[in-house]
Amino acid sequence: MAAAAVPLRALCRLCRVLLFLSQFYVLSGGGSLNLEHSQPLAQSIRDPGPTRTFTVVPRAEESTDIPPYMMKCPSNGLCSRLPADCVECKTNFSCVYGKPVTFDCTVKPSVTCVDQDLKSQKSFVMNMTCRFCWQLPETDYECSNSTSCMAVSCPRQRYAANCTVRDHVHCLGNRTFPKMLYCNWTGGYKWSTALALSITLGGFGADRFYLGQWREGLGKLFSFGGLGIWTLIDVLLIGVGYVGPADGSLYI
């Protein structure tokens, strides 16, 4: 048994020596071949090389917005009948008021029109009357309404309104202008209804209640129409239109 253990111990020592030599070989540079092959890869990872900067230029978007005035401009219509918002004219304020005058006009971009021969054109002559927009008749412009003024008053009240010329009307100056107008709004009260109530039930103040004058209505109710005298007076006042709704509006 002792003789068999000696070669086994020698074999173990030989293995340890070989293992030591192999480690020493690796540490002394024997594996440099693999490291040399791996160095370019490691270097390429550490050194990415010169960087290049690319600037992305966004593509210009095509404008698809429709001008707001295009909603009022008919396509392929007569140029002389285009609304004022669709054309640009070289006006002259030195013309004589009320006289016919001609101006050179050009259609705005994206507007198409034709002449009498159905030929497309961009420039044309516009015929109009020499007058400013605020000098137009009342049928040629629209004004804002007011419900805060007294339509039934003496003297009759006015209010400041903002007026705008109609699209098909051509004139000089600003197409929007202020103007003082008479109060002419209505609250829905009917003159015929008020008169009928005054004749039939005026002794109970029904006409005054209908017009929104509840204080006078209570007075007529508890005084039995002022013993008939107040009733007769109200019939006359409502009949001639002197007594109106309490909110100051006009009768229908």
Side-chain angles (χ1 to χ4, degrees):
M1 292 291 295
V6 173
L8 183 59
R9 292 177 181 175
L11 181 60
C12 291
R13 292 177 180 177
L14 180 60
C15 291
R16 292 176 181 176
V17 171
L18 292 177
L19 179 61
F20 174 79
L21 292 177
S22 61
Q23 292 177 354
F24 180 79
Y25 175 77
V26 172
L27 294 176
S28 62
S32 60
L33 180 62
N34 295 332
L35 293 176
E36 291 178 357
H37 288 287
S38 62
Q39 283 179 355
L41 179 61
Q43 183 177 3
S44 63
I45 296 175
R46 290 193 302 270
D47 186 9
T51 58
R52 297 180 181 180
T53 303
F54 297 93
T55 302
V56 179
V57 179
R59 183 179 179 181
E61 297 182 358
E62 297 181 357
S63 178
T64 57
D65 296 337
I66 301 176
Y69 56 82
M70 287 298 297
M71 302 299 295
K72 301 179 181 180
C73 304
S75 180
N76 296 326
L78 291 177
C79 296
S80 58
R81 295 185 179 180
L82 285 175
D85 293 337
C86 305
V87 299
E88 294 178 351
C89 298
K90 298 179 181 179
T91 57
N92 184 7
F93 294 164
S94 62
C95 58
V96 180
Y97 172 75
K99 298 294 183 180
V101 64
T102 59
F103 296 122
D104 295 331
C105 300
T106 305
V107 296
K108 291 185 177 180
S110 304
V111 178
T112 58
C113 63
V114 296
D115 57 6
Q116 297 292 341
D117 298 330
L118 301 181
K119 295 181 180 180
S120 178
Q121 61 178 0
K122 294 295 183 181
S123 300
F124 60 98
V125 176
M126 176 69 70
N127 298 318
M128 66 177 71
T129 303
C130 180
R131 57 189 174 186
F132 287 94
C133 294
W134 59 270
Q135 296 174 324
L136 293 171
E138 295 182 358
T139 56
D140 290 341
Y141 55 82
E142 297 178 348
C143 298
S144 59
N145 294 324
S146 175
T147 58
S148 60
C149 61
M150 298 292 292
V152 181
S153 63
C154 185
R156 192 176 178 186
Q157 291 186 359
R158 294 173 180 260
Y159 70 98
N162 293 323
C163 302
T164 304
V165 181
R166 300 184 186 274
D167 294 336
H168 66 279
V169 179
H170 297 270
C171 56
L172 303 177
N174 295 328
R175 299 184 62 81
T176 301
F177 52 91
K179 197 166 187 178
M180 297 298 295
L181 300 177
Y182 284 110
C183 297
N184 59 354
W185 65 284
T186 177
Y189 297 95
K190 292 184 178 182
W191 173 82
S192 58
T193 303
L195 182 60
L197 290 175
S198 182
I199 295 173
T200 57
L201 300 175
F204 301 98
D207 50 352
R208 293 283 183 164
F209 284 121
Y210 171 74
L211 296 176
Q213 302 175 5
W214 60 272
R215 293 183 181 88
E216 292 82 354
L218 290 176
K220 292 182 68 175
L221 176 63
F222 291 110
S223 65
F224 298 102
L227 299 179
I229 299 176
W230 195 349
T231 302
L232 294 177
I233 295 175
D234 273 355
V235 171
L236 295 176
L237 294 180
I238 294 176
V240 299
Y242 185 81
V243 173
D247 57 5
S249 63
L250 296 174
Y251 287 115
I252 297 178

